[in-house]
Amino acid sequence: MSEAIDNLQSLTSLTVLNASAALERGLAALKAGQTVFDLRHVLTVDSAAVSVMLAWQRAAQDAGVKLELKNLPPALQSLTKLYGVCSLLFPPSVKLEAGEPVPPNPLHEEFAPVNAPTSVFTPKTGLADDTASHHHH
């Protein structure tokens, strides 16, 4: 697996403005057999980043592969903490840079994240199912 095919390294932002483009790139990378996404250059993020990363993970699961997100910038790490999805994006075996233990989170609890304000997952914000509704099967 060479770094050369890492087409996510050029991503510098992951926001609502480029969420669908980033999502497509991630899915294309997965199809191409890439299972490690290096996000070190992503400097601008908003809540859409979390949706995109969850969608990538879901796609990887569907494909039966293990997706590894690495070199997340601090802004992205704090977003995953904010939404309580650390353990969804990073399986317990993967340690976050901060070295905090990540509680195991069985997948059937996918939409009952710990400590996340429930408002985050109401349909009104469109965050929870935004990506799911655009799935092309």
Side-chain angles (χ1 to χ4, degrees):
M1 231 3 95
S2 71
E3 288 285 308
I5 67 155
D6 189 340
N7 57 6
L8 294 195
Q9 272 218 37
S10 53
L11 266 188
T12 53
S13 70
L14 195 42
T15 64
V16 88
L17 298 175
N18 73 336
S20 51
L23 179 62
E24 293 301 321
R25 275 166 79 173
L27 297 180
L30 279 169
K31 279 198 184 72
Q34 185 183 327
T35 54
V36 177
F37 289 3
D38 187 338
L39 302 175
R40 76 179 79 192
H41 301 298
V42 179
L43 301 175
T44 321
V45 294
D46 67 13
S47 53
V50 176
S51 300
V52 169
M53 293 191 299
L54 283 170
W56 287 341
Q57 284 288 18
R58 215 175 288 134
Q61 274 167 3
D62 291 349
V65 296
K66 200 182 181 80
L67 173 60
E68 190 188 329
L69 300 168
K70 62 176 197 177
N71 298 326
L72 265 69
L76 209 42
Q77 284 187 36
S78 47
L79 263 182
T80 60
K81 290 196 184 74
L82 176 70
Y83 288 112
V85 292
C86 282
S87 50
L88 291 179
L89 290 171
F90 310 97
S93 55
V94 179
K95 291 274 180 289
L96 278 180
E97 271 80 332
E100 299 167 27
V102 180
N105 187 357
L107 280 177
H108 63 262
E109 289 176 21
E110 185 173 345
F111 290 109
V114 244
N115 306 333
T118 44
S119 63
V120 172
F121 294 93
T122 57
K124 198 173 59 183
T125 60
L127 270 183
D129 290 305
D130 203 22
T131 47
S133 59
H134 297 295
H135 266 357
H136 306 292
H137 283 294

